[in-house]
Structure formats: C-alpha cells, structure tokens
Amino acid sequence: MSGEDNLLRLVEAEDGDENNYHLQDQVGFILRKAHQRHVSIFASQIGDLTPPQFAALAKLYDIGETSQNQLGTLIAMDAATVKGVIDRLKARGLVEVSKHEVDKRRLLVNLTSEGREAIERLIPLARAITEETLAPLTTKEAATFLRLLAKLA
Amino acid sequence: MSGEDNLLRLVEAEDGDENNYHLQDQVGFILRKAHQRHVSIFASQIGDLTPPQFAALAKLYDIGETSQNQLGTLIAMDAATVKGVIDRLKARGLVEVSKHEVDKRRLLVNLTSEGREAIERLIPLARAITEETLAPLTTKEAATFLRLLAKLA
DNA sequence: TCAAATTCATTCGTATGCAAATGATATCAG
DNA sequence: CTGATATCATTTGCATACGAATGAATTTGA
C-alpha cells in the first residue's frame, strides 16, 4: 500500500459523507417535492382549477383589469404560459379579453361576473390549502419558513 | 347606519388586511416561484440536462441498477413521467435498459459508462447550484430552511 | 423625423407532471 | 390450483413551463 493510498483513506475518513452526493439532501430536489405536495393538496381541495389558473383569477380579483403581459409578470408566468392559462379560463367563461384602445399591442384581461363569483367562493378554500400545506410546521416554524422561502423566491 | 354595519366596520378595522387575500403571501405561490428560480439557476449551470434528468442519473449513480418503477419512487416521479425521462436519457446514451430475468414486468435501468462519466463531471456543478440557490440565506438560515422544507416535502 | 430598439402577443418545439385506462405479469387467498 | 388482486410498464390526454422565432405596434434617440 502506497503513502498516497493511506492519505486518500485518511481524507475520505475525515470527510465522512462529504464526498457522497445525496440527491435527497439537495435544496432543489426537496423544493420540487414540496411543490408537488402543495399541488396535490390544492387539487384535493380545488379540483376544477389548477394553481396557475387560480393565481390568475386571484390576481385579477385583486387588481382588476390588466394586460395579459402584465398579469403574467404579476403571477410569475412567461408570455407563452400565461397565454395558455388565459385561453383556458376564457373558454370556461371566467375571464374575458378585449383590445387596449390606445396601445393596440395589448390584450386586456378581466374577470367575468362568473369569474368573480368563482374566486370569491374559492378564496376560503385557498386559505385552507395554505393551512394544510403548512400543517407539518408549528405556527412559529411556518412564519420562519415563509420568511426564508420569500428570500429565496 | 345599523348596528350590524358598525360591527362589520369594527371587525374589518381589527382584521386589518386579514380579509384580503394576497397571492404573493401564499406558501404555494412562493414555493412555485422558488422552484422556478432554482430550475433557472440549474439551467444556467447545467444547460444540457434538466433537473429531473440529473436526478435520475444521480440516483442511479448512488444505488446502481434498479427498475424504472423503483427509480421513479426514489426520485419522486410517477410512472408516466419517469418513462419520458428515461427514454430521453436512453436516446442520449446515458442510460441503458434491460429486462429483469425473473420478473418479466420489470424494466431494469442502469448508467452507461458515458452516463457515469457525465454524472461524475456534473456533481461538482450540482453542488454549486445548491450553493447559488441558497445564496440569499446565511449559513444558519439555510440550515433552518432546509430542515423546515424537508418537513413539508 | 425616422431608423433602431423595445414591448406585447403569438406560435412552435421540447420537457415535465399527473390522472386514467390498458395490458402483461406476478402474488395471494381460498 | 385458480380466480381475485396487486404490481409494473405503457399510452393518451391535458396542463404548466420556458426558449426561440416571428410579427405587430410603440418608443427611443440621433
């Protein structure tokens, strides 16, 4: 056995597991799983709307009519994604679109009365979803978690 | 003005913003954004592989040959999703599949030598991705965050 | 003013992600 | 042993998600 071999073994012993890569400890992997769990909880409480669709309705309810592009910025969706979401909400009669009178590039999006009723009905469920998602944490832990998560996002 | 009106106003005043639903404060929305940010960081460091593809390679590197179904369980992908991921890795020559000799239902998946070289080369980059993702937090905050995130996932 | 740069929306291609249905195989229970 | 169950994999359909390319409209800057 060479001196190099001894040194290598020593280093590996000192490192413990540091030379091993454990997927299940990586923030990206756990983040993906936590997100999956939330989506699953969401689906169990609100079966006929996806989280992105809900986000679009909730934001329109909050700020009123806006352009598709601006809405996308506010709910963190790129232009291609938000178009699909709005198309499906439009097909279901929950939002309506119109052309901006001055800036002809813009597509204005707004809730229909049906969309307004839907979001008002769903917001209590959304609170329950948040609660269930955070249920594994104590109130204090949840506050800490949300603070740190917001710093990452 | 009725007594009910007074009571309502009082309650609303005491509630502050509690009657308003703010999407940007909901754990699901922030979780989605944090996940998006991580995927973006991942793509900037490892452009030719997605996080799910990397997860499959890393897990195979960790545990060796396994069935497609078992691999899916280990990396939190349902059967339909893992099939697509493995198909694409197979097309790129990073994994190879074979039939289980005893249980003919199972599809065994393993790294090719090329896949092994790839994951060994990428693991240092993955460590950098984790670091960059957690960069907005102090070391202590990151430890707390990971602990709480794991409880949620 | 007017050409260049920017913005808004759309389209295409690729890659997750999951529910539901299906087929093949294996295991279990009576 | 065999019918009922369960497991493994595949396929289809739908919904994000994003890069890149395109076209229309607006804004900027020399």
Side-chain angles (χ1 to χ4, degrees), chain A residues 21-59:
Chain A
Y21 180 83
H22 291 129
L23 184 70
Q24 65 272 20
D25 297 333
Q26 305 305 307
V27 62
F29 183 70
I30 317 177
L31 214 40
R32 175 169 150 270
K33 287 212 299 177
H35 181 247
Q36 281 177 358
R37 174 170 168 272
H38 172 262
V39 171
S40 169
I41 290 170
F42 190 101
S44 74
Q45 299 260 356
I46 301 182
D48 66 340
L49 222 54
T50 64
Q53 288 167 2
F54 176 87
L57 294 184
K59 185 53 74 174

Side-chain angles (χ1 to χ4, degrees), chain B residues 32 36 67-70 79-80 83 105-107:
Chain B
R32 176 169 150 270
Q36 281 176 358
S67 75
Q68 187 174 278
N69 202 57
Q70 173 67 7
K83 182 184 191 310
R105 294 169 305 178
R106 296 189 197 175
L107 191 66

Side-chain angles (χ1 to χ4, degrees), chain B residues 69-126:
Chain B
N69 202 57
Q70 173 67 7
L71 179 62
T73 300
L74 293 171
I75 59 180
M77 282 178 216
D78 74 6
T81 301
V82 79
K83 182 184 191 310
V85 171
I86 294 303
D87 279 354
R88 284 180 285 275
L89 291 175
K90 188 173 52 179
R92 291 176 54 175
L94 299 177
V95 304
E96 56 192 358
V97 303
S98 57
K99 287 176 185 165
H100 192 289
E101 294 175 7
V102 177
D103 188 338
K104 294 174 183 171
R105 294 169 305 178
R106 296 189 197 175
L107 191 66
L108 294 175
V109 187
N110 205 353
L111 291 178
T112 61
S113 56
E114 198 182 337
R116 192 173 306 274
E117 286 166 21
I119 191 63
E120 286 174 350
R121 181 170 43 81
L122 292 175
I123 282 177
L125 292 181

Side-chain angles (χ1 to χ4, degrees), chain A residues 64-88:
Chain A
E65 185 175 63
T66 187
S67 75
Q68 187 173 280
N69 202 57
Q70 173 66 9
L71 180 61
T73 299
L74 293 170
I75 60 180
M77 282 178 216
D78 75 5
T81 302
V82 77
K83 182 185 190 311
V85 172
I86 293 304
D87 278 354
R88 285 180 283 275

